[in-house]
Amino acid sequence: MITVIAENGSKKEYKIYAYVEESPQVYMPYEESEIGIYHQLKGLKAPVGFTASEQKIEDKMITVYENGVFSMVYGVNAKGEKNFYLWDKEQSSIIRPNIPVSEETQSVNLQNYIIYIMGILLLASIILLIILVFKQRKGKANETSNQ
């Protein structure tokens, strides 16, 4: 609380609130840029199935989330986007998932795309057929009531 006294002797009290967001203390290379890694970011919960532990990097602590198979860290990229990144504990580095896209995968994706389009066309045809049947029944009902 700050008290301000005017020249005429009147007093006014002000409350000042400061919000400070934690900034990364460790920066690791990733692709063409760097990722700033957070340590115990307030309000961040471990992903479901992961437990938080600490690891020392460059004499600073970072939080590592593990599930027995994968390790992740929470960081921010050069664009300011925050996200989880895969982490190699032995090498103390961010790793890029190596998921090659094979010709077989591309072929399966094309087949799935064709199946989705055919499904949508079939669904549209069924809806159109139902509309036509209802219109035809309505027309016959009107003819019967007019006689």
Side-chain angles (χ1 to χ4, degrees):
M1 177 111 34
I2 294 178
T3 304
V4 178
I5 303 173
E7 289 178 1
N8 65 6
S10 64
K11 293 181 182 181
K12 181 87 174 178
E13 291 186 349
Y14 296 93
K15 289 183 183 180
I16 297 176
Y17 298 95
Y19 299 96
V20 179
E21 184 173 317
E22 180 182 337
S23 61
Q25 299 297 313
V26 177
Y27 289 85
M28 302 298 293
Y30 181 72
E31 295 179 349
E32 303 288 322
S33 185
E34 287 186 326
I35 301 296
I37 301 172
Y38 289 101
H39 175 251
Q40 295 181 344
L41 187 62
K42 186 177 181 180
L44 179 66
K45 294 180 183 174
V48 175
F50 285 77
T51 56
S53 64
E54 292 187 347
Q55 185 175 350
K56 194 172 194 175
I57 306 291
E58 300 173 5
D59 294 328
K60 296 185 174 128
M61 299 303 287
I62 63 167
T63 303
V64 179
Y65 301 92
E66 302 175 89
N67 71 353
V69 178
F70 296 107
S71 296
M72 298 187 300
V73 293
Y74 191 76
V76 60
N77 64 17
K79 295 177 184 175
E81 301 165 331
K82 297 175 184 173
N83 208 342
F84 285 97
Y85 293 87
L86 289 177
W87 181 254
D88 184 337
K89 277 188 90 169
E90 284 83 37
Q91 305 228 352
S92 297
S93 64
I94 296 173
I95 56 176
R96 184 168 189 226
N98 188 11
I99 306 171
V101 178
S102 66
E103 287 183 28
E104 183 179 318
T105 304
Q106 290 176 345
S107 174
V108 168
N109 289 341
L110 179 61
Q111 288 173 353
N112 287 343
Y113 182 70
I114 291 170
I115 289 171
Y116 292 139
I117 289 178
M118 291 176 65
I120 290 170
L121 290 174
L122 179 63
L123 182 62
S125 299
I126 291 171
I127 291 171
L128 183 63
L129 182 64
I130 291 171
I131 291 171
L132 290 173
V133 167
F134 278 117
K135 280 188 176 183
Q136 187 179 16
R137 284 189 180 176
K138 187 176 181 181
K140 285 185 179 181
N142 286 342
E143 286 178 14
T144 309
S145 64
N146 287 339
Q147 290 179 357

